[in-house]
């Protein structure tokens, strides 16, 4: 994943610098992260399925545990982040840049959203909180 997301990085980065909006930069980050997630999760899963089939030890089963809750929580956090970007575009005129207060406020919001997701998902996974019903 590192090779696929880093090759041609300079070209994409310089194209993003000369773009009038942040669309190229955000697309670059989103694309790189998508490739990392799909390869980072998909490849080990594929190898495990193949190994179980070759090994003859049965089907490869993974309990969902807190998957549904985690996905719903992620979607809620992601929607809030998108709303933040939309508000920035309307109020500031773009997703990136602006005055120090705007930049640091947006950065703080994004950091808060990330921390919220990590803390709430972890508390649910360890059974400290019981939101959304029981786990499998």
């Amino acid at each position: 994943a590192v090779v696929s997301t880093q090759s041609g990085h300079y070209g994409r980065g310089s194209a993003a610098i000369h773009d009038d909006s942040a669309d190229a930069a955000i697309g670059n980050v989103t694309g790189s992260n998508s490739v990392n997630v799909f390869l980072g999760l998909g490849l080990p899963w594929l190898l495990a399925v193949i190994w179980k089939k070759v090994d003859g030890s049965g089907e490869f089963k993974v309990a969902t545990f807190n998957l549904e809750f985690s996905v719903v929580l992620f979607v809620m956090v992601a929607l809030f982040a998108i709303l933040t970007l939309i508000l920035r575009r309307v109020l500031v005129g773009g997703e990136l840049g602006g005055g120090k207060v705007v930049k640091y406020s947006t950065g703080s919001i994004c950091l808060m959203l990330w921390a919220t997701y990590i803390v709430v998902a972890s508390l649910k996974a360890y059974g400290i909180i019981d939101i959304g019903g029981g786990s499998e």
Side-chain angles (χ1 to χ4, degrees):
V2 173
V3 173
S4 68
T5 60
Q6 297 301 320
S7 61
H9 179 69
Y10 174 75
R12 291 190 310 263
S14 64
I17 290 171
H18 300 293
D19 192 11
D20 291 340
S21 68
D23 294 344
I26 291 174
N28 183 13
V29 169
T30 304
S32 295
N33 287 338
S34 297
V35 169
N36 287 336
V37 167
F38 295 145
L39 286 178
L41 295 176
L43 191 58
W45 191 286
L46 177 65
L47 293 175
V49 169
I50 291 171
W51 178 261
K52 288 292 241 178
K53 185 70 172 173
V54 169
D55 186 51
S57 59
E59 293 180 351
F60 179 66
K61 294 183 180 181
V62 177
T64 59
F65 191 51
N66 290 311
L67 182 63
E68 297 88 0
F69 175 78
S70 184
V71 168
V72 170
L73 179 62
F74 177 80
V75 168
M76 289 170 44
V77 169
L79 288 174
F80 197 86
I82 291 170
L83 178 64
T84 301
L85 291 177
I86 291 170
L87 284 174
R88 277 190 58 93
R89 181 170 271 199
V90 170
L91 299 175
V92 181
E95 291 83 7
L96 301 175
K100 278 189 175 185
V101 172
V102 174
K103 287 191 285 190
Y104 286 116
S105 297
T106 304
S108 297
I109 289 170
C110 290
L111 188 61
M112 179 197 67
L113 291 172
W114 173 78
T116 300
Y117 175 79
I118 296 296
V119 168
V120 174
S122 297
L123 291 174
K124 171 72 172 159
Y126 285 108
I128 297 171
I129 59 174
D130 186 25
I131 299 175
S135 57
E136 291 182 24

